[in-house]
């Protein structure tokens, strides 16, 4: 199956829905340099998972300009709940903050600026959902902290998990080994029930078992 054609078809089906979309979010972004944000289909699936699982506490690692944060916040406004999101780069974090204020999500989002490696150990556990989308080289290193912070029955999501089988520019080749190691850790973990969906650049969806 041609996945890009499938994505265009799915986007077309939902194009009339009054949802926050990546293209309009990027148009409203003043900053020029920032790391790529999730695609609309990934944002949509995460909103769907929020609607199903009704998380009260979400942890996001890697905010960038705040597109996925705003997408999740839009659903949490209806279902109730809060997001803690961590961003290393203060300039990018400032842009994200201005989007949270512009869209009225400042009461739903707790933005922490700093390195997730230092911030994760300071957080209180029992998050209902953890979304990993920071530096791909850190995925294996941060996994134990993510699992510690997630409550039993909670959802772990990770973006870009299909990098190892994608045709990537050579500058991304260093990310393949750590993502592959992360995927193996997830798949072989007896404490998780998981799958890897071919959505966006690959989305890991895992439930922490009791
Ligand atoms: C792929 S972007 C996040 C995109 C965002 N989740 C979205 O879809 O809208 C990854 C972000 O993680 C940040 N990052 C990388 N390493 C980090 C670290 N150690 N701690 C916190 N943030 C980090 C980068 O600065 C970058 O803005």
């Amino acid at each position: 199956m041609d996945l890009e054609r499938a994505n265009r078809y799915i986007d077309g089906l939902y194009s009339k829905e009054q949802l926050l979309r990546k293209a309009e979010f990027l148009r409203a972004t003043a900053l020029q340099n920032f790391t790529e944000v999730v695609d609309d289909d990934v944002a949509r699936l995460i909103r769907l998972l929020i609607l199903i699982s009704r998380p009260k506490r979400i942890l996001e690692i890697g905010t960038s300009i705040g597109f996925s944060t705003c997408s999740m916040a839009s659903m949490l406004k209806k279902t109730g709940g809060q997001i803690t999101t961590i961003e290393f780069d203060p300039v990018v974090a400032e842009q994200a903050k201005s989007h949270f204020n512009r869209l009225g999500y400042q009461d739903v989002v707790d933005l922490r600026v700093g390195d997730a490696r230092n911030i994760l150990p300071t957080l209180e556990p029992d998050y209902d959902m953890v979304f990993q989308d920071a530096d791909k080289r850190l995925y294996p290193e941060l996994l134990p902290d993510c699992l510690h912070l997630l409550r039993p029955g909670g959802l772990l999501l990770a973006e870009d998990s299909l990098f190892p089988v994608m045709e990537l520019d050579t500058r991304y080749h260093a990310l393949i080994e750590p993502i592959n190691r992360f995927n193996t850790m997830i798949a072989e973990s007896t404490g998780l029930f998981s799958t890897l969906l071919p959505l966006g650049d690959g989305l890991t969806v895992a439930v922490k078992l009791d």
Side-chain angles (χ1 to χ4, degrees), residues 70-94:
C70 288
S71 171
M72 292 189 277
S74 70
M75 194 51 94
L76 289 181
K77 277 277 191 184
K78 297 179 188 133
T79 60
Q82 298 279 324
I83 306 178
T84 301
T85 185
I86 306 173
E87 175 53 53
F88 183 71
D89 180 337
V91 177
V92 171
E94 201 50 47

Side-chain angles (χ1 to χ4, degrees), residues 61-62 86 116 131-139 142 160:
I61 310 166
I86 306 173
F131 176 40
Q132 170 60 282
D133 194 19
D135 186 333
K136 312 307 153 201
R137 288 165 297 194
L138 296 179
Y139 278 25
L142 296 180
D160 299 322

Side-chain angles (χ1 to χ4, degrees), residues 33-187:
N33 292 317
F34 52 86
T35 314
E36 181 63 41
V37 302
V38 294
D39 290 334
D40 284 322
D41 52 359
V42 173
R44 183 177 185 79
L45 179 72
I46 296 175
R47 281 195 298 261
L48 186 70
L49 291 171
I50 291 173
L51 198 53
I52 295 169
S53 63
R54 309 268 164 165
K56 292 293 169 227
R57 294 178 74 221
I58 296 179
L59 172 63
E60 176 181 56
I61 310 166
T63 318
S64 185
I65 54 171
F67 174 61
S68 54
T69 323
C70 288
S71 171
M72 292 189 277
S74 70
M75 194 51 94
L76 289 181
K77 277 277 191 184
K78 297 179 188 133
T79 60
Q82 298 279 324
I83 306 178
T84 301
T85 185
I86 306 173
E87 175 53 53
F88 183 71
D89 180 337
V91 177
V92 171
E94 201 50 47
Q95 174 68 78
K97 195 172 161 193
S98 80
H99 281 306
F100 304 151
N101 293 337
R102 175 177 72 85
L103 294 166
Y105 297 142
Q106 65 277 15
D107 55 333
V108 178
V109 179
D110 172 16
L111 173 64
R112 308 282 179 102
V113 183
D115 191 328
R117 286 171 288 189
N118 301 327
I119 293 175
L120 291 184
T122 70
L123 299 176
E124 283 293 315
D126 285 340
Y127 282 90
D128 304 298
M129 182 182 280
V130 174
F131 176 40
Q132 170 60 282
D133 194 19
D135 186 333
K136 312 307 153 201
R137 288 165 297 194
L138 296 179
Y139 278 25
E141 181 185 335
L142 296 180
L143 183 59
D145 276 338
C146 290
L147 293 179
H148 169 69
L149 289 169
L150 194 63
R151 72 162 168 82
L155 270 180
L156 173 70
L157 309 176
E159 162 71 343
D160 299 322
S161 318
L162 280 179
F163 270 13
V165 292
M166 289 172 62
E167 285 178 25
L168 296 173
D169 190 281
T170 47
R171 67 202 150 112
Y172 296 119
H173 283 185
L175 309 181
I176 292 175
E177 188 280 328
I179 289 272
N180 209 17
R181 195 150 33 97
F182 173 80
N183 288 343
T184 305
M185 287 164 83
I186 295 280

